[in-house]
Each structure stands twice: as C-alpha cells, then as structure tokens.
Amino acid sequence: APAFAEKFGLGRPALPEEVAAWNVDVAPDGTGLPAGSGSVEDGEWLFSENCAVCHGEFAEGVDNWPKLAGGDDTLDHDDPLKTVGSYWPYLSTVWDYVHRSMPFGGAQTLEPDEVYAIVAYILYSNYIVEDDFVLSNENFLDVVMPNADGFIIDDRAETEYPQFSQQPCMTDCKESVQITMRAAVLDVTPEEVTENEAEAAAELKAAADAQDT
Amino acid sequence: MTDQSRPATTRRGFLKAGLATGGAIAAGSAARAAQEPDPLITEVQPWAQGLGEGVDAVPYGLPIEYEADVVRRNVPWLTADVISSINFTPIHALDGTITPQGCAFERHHSGAIELRKEDYRLMINGLVDQPLIFTYEDLERFPRVNHTYFLECAANTGMEWAGAQLNGAQFTHGMIHNMEYSGVPLRTLLEEAGVKTEGKWVYVEGADASSNGRSIPLDKAMDDVLVAFKANGEALRKEHGYPVRLVVPGWEGNMWIKWLRRIEVTDQAIESREETSKYTDTLADGTSRKWTWVMDAKSVITSPSPQSPIKHGPGPLVITGLAWSGRGAIDRVDVTIDGGKNWQTARLAQPGQDKAISRFYLEIDWDGSEMLLQSRAIDSTGYVQPTKAQLRDVRGLNSIYHNNCIQTWWVKAGGEAENVEIS
C-alpha cells in the first residue's frame, strides 16, 4: 500500500525559488495567476510587435498559422474554425499558454502584465470584451468564454464500446462491395524520389526555365 | 555509383519494369525454370573473393544503403512549418514489432531540443509532503523495470476522416512506434515525495518551449506510467525526449511528455492548451469530447500496401500487418481479401502483449486477381475494430483524433495497391 511505501532518500528538497521558476501553470479556477493587469489598448501594440507576423494584426491568422479569432458558431459545420473565441473553454489556458510558450521561437519572454494585455487584445479580437477593457488577476474569472459548456468527458464507454464489442461476422457478410473513394485520385502523397526521378525533374525544370526567358 | 555488386534496378524501377511487360508473373516463373545458369552462382562474385570492412570501420552503424527508402517521411502540407510538426514511421517496410529508434516517428511542438544529462533536472511539486529535485543520476538509482509499449499519436490516421487521402501505410498509420522501455515507475517517484490525500491529478510538462503540459489522473500515474530513460536497449534518441521521457501505456502519444522536467500533483486538471484547444474531439453536433486518453484497438496491413506492392506474381503471398490496443492485449486479427464479405483469422506471431504492438500474418495462395484487403483487430476486452462508417455514425467527420477505423487496400491485378474506401 502506498502509505507504507519504502523511501530511498534520493533527490533533494526543491527550494521555493526553484518551484516558483518552473511552476507557472494556471488552472481554470485562476490558481497560479500572478498579480497584474493589461489593457486591450496595450495589448494591440504588443500583439502587433510580437504576434501579428504569424497570427495577423487582428488575430485572424497568416497563411497556415493558427487563427486566434473568428469561427463563431462553426463547430457543427463541415470544416469548423476552432479559435480562442469559438472553441477554447477557459481563459486560463490562453494566459498560461501565451505566457509559457509564445511567441513561437521566443517563448518565456513576456512579463505578466504584457500577457494580461495580449490576452485582453485576443478577447477583444473575438468580440468578447470592449476596446476599453482591462484584464487583471482580479476580474479574470468574470470573463465568460463562449464555448465554456462545449465539452463532455470521454463517453466512448457508453456510446461506442457496447456496440463495437459484438461478435463480428465471418462469412457472407455483405452482398456487394464498391470502391467509393480513391487516394490516387486526390494525389497529395509525397512521391518517393529516386536519383533518376530527381535528375529528370531537374532537366524538366531547366527546360521550362529556358522557355520562360 | 560504380559498385558492380549493386542491383541493376531500384525497387521502384523493378516494379515499373515488371508491370510494363507483365513481367511480374514472368519473373516468378523464370526463377522456377531457369534456362541459363545464373551468373550470380556460376561466376565468383567480388564479395566471395575480396575482403569486407574491418570492425573499426563503423563504431555505430546505420542500415545498408540499399535500405535507404526505410526512413521517416514528412508531408509538408499537413502543418505550417517543420518545427511543430510530424513525420511518419516506415511501417510498410518493417517486420516484427520493435521499431528501430532511428526511423521511429517524431512529433514536436517546438522542435527536438538538445538537453544534456548534466543539465537535466526533474521536479516533483504541488500536493506532496516534500517537493523534490532529481538529477539524471538520481533516477538511475531507483529500482528499474522494462516494458514494451506502443506510442500512437492521437492524430494517427486523422487525415483519413473525410476520405482516402494519403497513399501508403506509412502516411495513414505511421504516427506510431513500439519500443522496449527501461525506467522507473512514476509511482516510485511520487511515493518518494509523498502524495497528499487531496492529490487527484498530476500535471506533467517537458523542458522544451512548448512544454506540452498535460493532466493525468492520479490513478493512472500510480498504475503503469513510467519515467523512462532507455528505449530498445540504449538511451532515448534526442528527438524522442533524451534523456528522460514519460511512458503512458495505451494512452494517446501527446501525453508521453518528452524531456520531462516537472510533475505537479494537483487537485484539479489544469486544462492546458494540449487538452482543450488540441486533443479534444469535436462531434457532429459541435460539442467536443475531452480527456479521450485511451487509444482503441486498431490494425493495418503493412504488406501488401501502396508502398509495398506485390512484385512476385501469383502464388504464395504473405499478408502481414500490425495490431494494437490501448485497452489490453490483441487477442485476434481477422483479414478479408474481398472487402469484408468473408474473413479469415490471421496468425499472431507472438501472443498479444498488454498495450503493445502485435504482428500478424496470413499466408494465402494469390490467384493474381484484384483484392480488397482489410484487417480487423479484436482485443482482450472483446472490442472489435470498427469500420470508418461505424465511427462516423457516432462522431461525424470532424473528430480529427482517434481514427481507429478498418483500412482498405485495393490490390490490383498487377500487384499495385491503393488506399481506398469501400461500401
């Protein structure tokens, strides 16, 4: 039993400064949030400086980089657009993730007040707050995320396992079989490039380049 | 390349030549009724005369050059960049169950970092009697265990939800590897710190910039989770979390935190980015499942497959593949060659192991006609791997993760194979 488990006396006590340096996660109830605040106005400037090159000036996303705003009411569509505004259930996650892991390639460079400001701007970009909003550790839990109630705990045990645990058919299971979709028609698989193919491609490209000029 | 011993054609070149002349069949029969003596036998070959490499030529070897196609591949259009991205294990070319580490798939969120053992620290904090810091050397002094488990990315086969997209088992099913891990039970480390009674979860995170933090219920953490530092006998590869990673048997690969640096005992789930924005599974009505940790029973035929076509013509054919389940051991795998009208039970190379990959074989006498190949795994709970239609009926098309559907390969009369969906 765990209560009587043997101890080995390995490791050493963690110092408070060490725990403070690494223990920076923020839970949905606000546990872990440092004191501080930041405005939409400051956030707009900080976002433009640190984030917009990938995520767009309005958090709408550049190229294939993640969109942080938009997609309201698309979750039951064919191609749902999942953003902070349309999908994320908790504001704590936005604060925690931006603080710890963004900007991409320059993580852990933002001070708490800067993170509050950037998060405030992301909320504004999603029309969740007004442009004069100031986010702080005091009013953090007042913000209501649109998709807060959009998640259920894994229910496969009820919705899938009973029906997928029946004796399977072994013989004469169906009358006919038709091919309904083919990957080769879509043709998006990377080719296996052999030396000959690479040479041939290079020759073709050289010929095409010659024609262009 | 002037080495005379090198085969005259590449694998693909051979296939093309064979198909062009209908020679796949001819090649098979030629071997049976040779008209001319085979010079590979009648003439002394250089390797039978001269000398090979000395034992000091290669202190740590790589595969022979003729296996150069057995490598990780990526699909550039899948992700915005190659740092937070994925590549694929060449399962179409492997056999047995152990994945060679050098071609075992990678998934990073801020790249594969370099972390020396000397710089490595592991912290246990939160709801414990004594927060602790371990060095790498400390970890090697705890009682150790060995276990083989599969790691499957939650997104494996995810591109196939909407239809047949990528043409090859490597791309459709290659976000997986199976290794023998050596390490310390997480339970041992938690007991060293002393978990308080309010502790219900552990939050685990890596040393990389993405951190990849995930919440794991304490029951699982105390059950079979490992803090591993060796895989397949040697240190973890850099890209697989060197020097220490978490092993979370049967559960989605995202939770197998690499470069593990901190374990925090909490009274609630942190609901981090990787368990809210990502690794949640949206259903047809727009609600989403969260905490879908277990990877359900799944299988795939690795050969024949689009990257491993039949080149030998009719006659004896080995159909082989992989099966696995996060809920237990593989009990049985059925194979159909007619698109599911009739099934035969395949042969497991070894009895199924808990939450590890099983290898299956079905030897048939191929008559050269086209086939619709499928495999269907059954695990020790009695769960039978479902079809894609069955999964879509429950989940719709937008789940992204946890696609464990039955895969179909259309083997054509010439032996080429294609990823298809069938009715």
Side-chain angles (χ1 to χ4, degrees):
Chain A
F4 303 104
E6 183 187 2
K7 296 216 184 204
F8 298 91
L10 293 169
R12 64 161 175 85
L15 301 177
E17 298 89 335
E18 294 170 332
V19 174
W22 278 8
N23 182 28
V24 294
D25 54 88
V26 180
D29 67 0
T31 302
L33 268 182
S37 66
S39 65
V40 170
E41 198 180 347
D42 288 345
E44 181 173 23
W45 180 83
L46 285 162
F47 195 89
S48 185
E49 287 288 299
N50 295 287
C51 321
V53 62
C54 294
H55 296 296
E57 289 293 340
F58 307 100
E60 78 282 17
V62 174
D63 297 335
N64 219 1
W65 295 102
K67 298 167 173 58
L68 307 183
D72 300 9
D73 303 317
T74 64
L75 297 180
D76 58 354
H77 294 194
D78 276 352
D79 285 305
L81 174 55
K82 300 183 188 181
T83 70
V84 171
S86 70
Y87 193 63
W88 292 36
Y90 303 112
L91 191 60
S92 57
T93 313
V94 188
W95 203 99
D96 174 271
Y97 184 68
V98 170
H99 179 234
R100 188 193 342 229
S101 299
M102 288 286 137
F104 190 63
Q108 304 194 65
T109 55
L110 297 169
E111 295 300 320
D113 285 349
E114 295 176 318
V115 178
Y116 279 108
I118 287 171
V119 172
Y121 180 70
I122 293 171
L123 289 171
Y124 170 69
S125 299
N126 280 286
Y127 306 107
I128 294 170
V129 299
E130 300 295 323
D131 61 3
D132 60 353
F133 181 71
V134 177
L135 180 68
S136 73
N137 57 305
E138 312 236 307
N139 68 2
F140 198 86
L141 296 180
D142 299 340
V143 178
V144 178
M145 299 297 278
N147 197 40
D149 297 326
F151 294 80
I152 57 169
I153 294 174
D154 185 3
D155 64 349
R156 284 176 290 178
E158 296 81 46
T159 56
E160 297 185 7
Y161 295 164
Q163 65 156 315
F164 297 161
S165 303
Q166 308 293 321
Q167 279 296 326
C169 175
M170 292 300 286
T171 51
D172 300 324
C173 300
K174 44 187 172 183
E175 295 261 315
S176 68
V177 176
Q178 302 293 326
I179 290 172
T180 55
M181 197 172 296
R182 296 180 51 189
V185 173
L186 201 62
D187 195 23
V188 292
T189 310
E191 280 294 307
E192 200 173 339
V193 180
T194 65
E195 250 174 79
N196 288 345
E197 285 170 351
E199 276 170 25
E203 279 168 21
L204 277 174
K205 186 174 184 307
D209 289 348
Q211 282 184 349
D212 284 345
T213 52
Chain B
M1 190 70 214
T2 54
D3 185 349
Q4 291 302 305
S5 67
R6 188 172 187 175
T9 54
T10 62
R11 193 172 62 88
R12 170 166 285 209
F14 178 83
L15 171 66
K16 280 181 179 160
L19 292 173
T21 61
I25 295 164
S29 51
R32 293 183 58 81
Q35 300 300 307
E36 300 290 329
D38 185 349
L40 281 168
I41 298 169
T42 57
E43 294 172 15
V44 177
Q45 299 297 311
W47 57 82
Q49 196 162 40
L51 304 173
E53 278 179 346
V55 294
D56 59 348
V58 187
Y60 196 107
L62 288 171
I64 196 165
E65 61 183 295
Y66 313 123
E67 297 296 315
D69 58 329
V70 187
V71 291
R72 297 188 275 234
R73 302 283 305 276
N74 77 322
V75 178
W77 56 263
L78 279 179
T79 49
D81 72 339
V82 294
I83 303 297
S84 181
S85 192
I86 189 86
N87 63 26
F88 300 86
T89 305
I91 56 170
H92 64 289
L94 303 177
D95 210 323
T97 59
I98 295 295
T99 313
Q101 290 197 85
C103 65
F105 90 102
E106 303 166 69
R107 202 287 186 243
H108 317 302
H109 292 80
S110 52
I113 60 166
E114 191 169 301
L115 179 54
R116 302 190 312 158
K117 285 177 181 171
E118 293 85 342
D119 298 336
Y120 179 78
R121 298 290 184 273
L122 176 63
M123 178 185 291
I124 298 186
N125 72 299
L127 298 170
V128 293
D129 298 331
Q130 175 62 65
L132 290 173
I133 304 287
F134 298 110
T135 62
Y136 179 82
E137 286 181 328
D138 292 334
L139 295 182
E140 283 201 332
R141 297 173 65 190
F142 283 100
R144 217 173 293 167
V145 295
N146 283 220
H147 288 289
T148 301
Y149 296 117
F150 75 84
L151 184 172
E152 184 184 17
C153 178
N156 199 21
T157 322
M159 302 81 73
E160 303 290 309
W161 270 114
Q165 284 220 62
L166 288 162
N167 209 23
Q170 179 172 21
F171 301 107
T172 58
H173 290 76
M175 295 183 197
I176 192 166
H177 56 61
N178 191 66
M179 301 190 191
E180 185 201 46
Y181 294 97
S182 305
V184 178
L186 176 55
R187 177 191 194 106
T188 306
L189 300 183
L190 289 171
E191 285 171 348
E192 193 72 9
V195 176
K196 292 184 171 169
T197 50
E198 314 93 274
K200 297 286 183 288
W201 295 80
V202 294
Y203 181 68
V204 286
E205 66 177 13
D208 61 317
S210 82
S211 104
N212 201 59
R214 287 291 309 249
S215 306
I216 297 176
L218 191 65
D219 286 349
K220 178 71 174 177
M222 298 297 267
D223 179 16
D224 56 3
V225 176
L226 302 179
V227 174
F229 34 80
K230 296 283 170 73
N232 295 348
E234 60 181 354
L236 296 170
R237 294 292 169 97
K238 174 176 78 174
E239 62 271 28
H240 296 141
Y242 181 92
V244 177
R245 85 171 308 162
L246 208 61
V247 167
V248 191
W251 287 22
E252 60 188 14
N254 178 257
M255 308 176 82
W256 294 49
I257 309 303
K258 295 187 287 192
W259 313 292
L260 179 71
R261 85 167 189 187
R262 194 172 67 92
I263 298 156
E264 178 184 3
V265 180
T266 61
D267 60 359
Q268 60 182 319
I270 298 301
E271 303 269 10
S272 70
R273 186 251 196 183
E274 304 291 328
E275 53 200 353
T276 54
S277 171
K278 307 299 176 189
Y279 306 98
T280 49
D281 315 351
T282 301
L283 304 171
D285 68 357
T287 61
S288 302
R289 289 173 174 164
K290 68 176 181 180
W291 302 344
T292 47
W293 299 310
V294 174
M295 302 305 291
D296 289 324
K298 186 168 173 178
S299 68
V300 63
I301 291 172
T302 52
S303 184
S305 68
Q307 297 158 287
S308 182
I310 305 170
K311 293 180 286 188
H312 54 57
L317 170 68
V318 174
I319 297 171
T320 186
L322 303 171
W324 61 93
S325 172
R327 296 175 63 214
I330 290 296
D331 261 8
R332 188 176 114 196
V333 180
D334 298 332
V335 169
T336 176
I337 64 172
D338 59 13
K341 291 182 191 168
N342 298 285
W343 296 81
Q344 306 174 64
T345 296
R347 180 169 60 83
L348 296 183
Q350 303 280 344
Q353 286 185 68
D354 192 40
K355 305 177 183 74
I357 278 182
S358 283
R359 168 67 58 176
F360 66 86
Y361 297 104
L362 181 70
E363 293 85 2
I364 68 165
D365 186 10
W366 185 43
D367 65 6
S369 59
E370 66 175 44
M371 299 185 283
L372 291 166
L373 289 181
Q374 297 181 329
S375 60
R376 178 174 72 189
I378 302 172
D379 72 16
S380 49
T381 71
Y383 177 97
V384 182
Q385 183 184 0
T387 63
K388 202 186 284 185
Q390 285 179 300
L391 287 176
R392 285 173 177 160
D393 281 348
V394 179
R395 307 183 194 172
L397 289 173
N398 294 322
S399 280
I400 301 177
Y401 307 108
H402 292 281
N403 186 351
N404 64 317
C405 72
I406 289 173
Q407 171 67 44
T408 310
W409 304 130
W410 175 30
V411 177
K412 298 162 201 180
E416 274 190 295
E418 184 179 334
N419 175 12
V420 298
E421 283 189 15
I422 58 174
S423 58

